[in-house]
Amino acid sequence: MGSKSLCITYLLWLIGGWIGLHHFYLRRDRHAFVWWCTFGGVFGLGWFRDLWRIPSYVESANEGQAFIEYYTSLLRTRQKPYFNITRFAGQLAVGWFFGLLATLTISEEFHSDHFYVRAIIVPFAVAVGVHLVGNIGREQVTLTSCLKGSYPLLLLFLSDPNMLTYMSLLSTIMAQRNRDFRRTPDKQRGFHTRVFILAFAGSLIITMWCSFLYFNASVTTEDGETIKLRDSIDNFFNSRVWKDFKETLRNIYEDAKVRGWQNVWNDFVKAMDPEGEENAYQVLGVDPNASSEEITKTYRKLVRVWHPDKHRNKDTEGDAAETFMKIQKAYETLSKIKARRSRKNEQSRRD
């Protein structure tokens, strides 16, 4: 295993840190997976913390002489790792998140007929999340200790809306009580094996999200009626908006076959009005073919009408000032565009 570079780690953190790319590079696969499925370590908090934690991660991955001596002294002088509030919070958050995802995966209709399924799956998902964070880096916890914390509260708080919080908290406490040093290194797996394991785990998470979106996700109409997301999507594909959109795409495709994709793209960019030219013509009320002199003449006339000094009334002062600023901006926009095109045409004639 080659030595890991601090610079490369920071580069990967910058470009792919939200999906745990730097942790994968350092062979911290559990860490990488947690970052991927919790959007950068609980919505970017973990990613930001890595900014000053990366040097210690690299040192641990390289197993330099100084780190080995420090870690060996810990094994000799302590029975278990120091308590870490960040790890505790991470176990609590990921355990709760996995439990929530497991809850959302099972449809309400299925749950009403088979309530015991959630009673089995949800505490297990909580324990898996707590166990996953507890085994990151040089520490380890057993899945059994996590399960001992997630299942006992099930009967007491089965219908409590805070059940997931209680489960995650007790499971985390039990895991912390039984935490230990990782005294033997993890099995060194090959690149393809690591990718396969992460892809498999990631596919499970994606499948659970898809199950939630299909079975449980819903939208609420303006009348207060709740409609399943899957039904609303079916209705959308039968709507007039979607049919018009498909017709527009078909027309664009047919036009591109005749005129070429570059011309179609140019028309699209022009229609987007990136420089605000079309809007400027509308604000000044002039024709797009108007000369610079005509634009200036119209601009001066509008300025005299909408100048703030002529609108002292409190009811119209604000609107007048806003209109005046729009006129100023529109004139500046058209002046720059006309001047640039004039220089370009002059240069073309010289060439």
Side-chain angles (χ1 to χ4, degrees), residues 65-350:
Q65 184 64 31
F67 174 80
I68 294 298
E69 291 178 357
Y70 166 74
Y71 190 65
T72 302
S73 67
L74 284 180
L75 295 177
R76 290 174 179 173
T77 58
R78 294 191 59 83
Q79 293 184 346
K80 61 174 58 179
Y82 289 104
F83 173 77
N84 188 313
I85 187 62
T86 303
R87 186 182 292 266
F88 182 92
Q91 287 176 288
L92 182 62
V94 176
W96 183 89
F97 169 70
F98 276 25
L100 176 65
L101 190 55
T103 302
L104 297 175
T105 298
I106 302 171
S107 69
E108 294 299 331
E109 295 83 358
F110 184 85
H111 174 64
S112 61
D113 296 331
H114 308 86
F115 71 93
Y116 57 87
V117 175
R118 276 186 182 172
I120 296 173
I121 293 179
V122 173
F124 182 78
V126 170
V128 168
V130 173
H131 178 265
L132 180 63
V133 178
N135 283 272
I136 289 176
R138 297 284 175 166
E139 295 186 21
Q140 62 182 8
V141 298
T142 63
L143 182 60
T144 303
S145 63
C146 301
L147 292 170
K148 288 179 179 178
S150 61
Y151 275 103
L153 295 179
L154 181 64
L155 297 178
L156 295 176
F157 302 100
L158 183 60
S159 59
D160 194 304
N162 297 314
M163 179 186 67
L164 285 178
T165 302
Y166 301 146
M167 281 185 182
S168 303
L169 181 60
L170 185 57
S171 182
T172 300
I173 292 174
M174 293 298 294
Q176 286 291 324
R177 285 174 57 87
N178 294 276
R179 69 186 184 277
D180 195 6
F181 289 106
R182 190 178 301 282
R183 300 179 184 276
T184 56
D186 281 335
K187 181 181 179 181
Q188 295 296 316
R189 298 185 176 92
F191 175 81
H192 294 94
T193 303
R194 294 169 59 210
V195 171
F196 174 78
I197 293 174
L198 288 173
F200 178 75
S203 66
L204 291 179
I205 297 294
I206 293 174
T207 300
M208 295 172 75
W209 276 117
C210 291
S211 178
F212 157 66
L213 292 173
Y214 184 80
F215 290 112
N216 287 332
S218 60
V219 295
T220 304
T221 66
E222 60 181 0
D223 299 326
E225 184 180 357
T226 301
I227 303 174
K228 290 290 186 182
L229 181 62
R230 63 176 183 267
D231 296 331
S232 65
I233 291 177
D234 288 339
N235 293 333
F236 169 75
F237 286 124
N238 291 320
S239 68
R240 182 64 184 174
V241 173
W242 174 250
K243 292 178 179 178
D244 290 345
F245 178 70
K246 288 196 301 182
E247 181 65 21
T248 300
L249 290 180
R250 190 185 69 81
N251 292 336
I252 291 175
Y253 176 73
E254 295 297 333
D255 187 32
K257 289 196 300 184
V258 176
R259 299 173 54 234
W261 284 103
Q262 184 60 49
N263 290 327
V264 172
W265 173 253
N266 292 338
D267 290 345
F268 173 75
V269 172
K270 183 179 180 180
M272 294 295 290
D273 195 23
E275 294 184 297
E277 182 179 8
E278 187 68 26
N279 180 65
Y281 283 124
Q282 292 179 4
V283 170
L284 296 180
V286 296
D287 188 87
N289 296 320
S291 64
S292 298
E293 291 76 12
E294 292 174 327
I295 293 174
T296 302
K297 182 179 179 180
T298 303
Y299 162 72
R300 290 174 177 172
K301 183 186 299 183
L302 291 173
V303 165
R304 287 193 297 269
V305 173
W306 290 102
H307 197 282
D309 290 342
K310 294 189 176 182
H311 296 269
R312 298 294 187 180
N313 191 309
K314 291 183 178 181
D315 296 333
T316 61
E317 185 178 8
D319 293 338
E322 183 178 354
T323 303
F324 182 78
M325 292 177 63
K326 289 182 179 180
I327 294 170
Q328 292 276 39
K329 183 178 179 181
Y331 180 69
E332 291 176 3
T333 298
L334 294 181
S335 296
K336 291 179 181 178
I337 293 174
K338 292 285 186 180
R340 184 178 67 246
R341 289 175 181 170
S342 177
R343 289 193 299 268
K344 186 176 180 180
N345 292 334
E346 185 177 351
Q347 183 65 36
S348 299
R349 287 194 296 270
R350 290 177 180 177

Side-chain angles (χ1 to χ4, degrees), residues 55-70:
S56 63
Y57 296 153
V58 174
E59 188 178 1
S60 174
N62 289 331
E63 296 186 338
Q65 184 64 31
F67 174 80
I68 294 298
E69 291 178 357
Y70 166 74

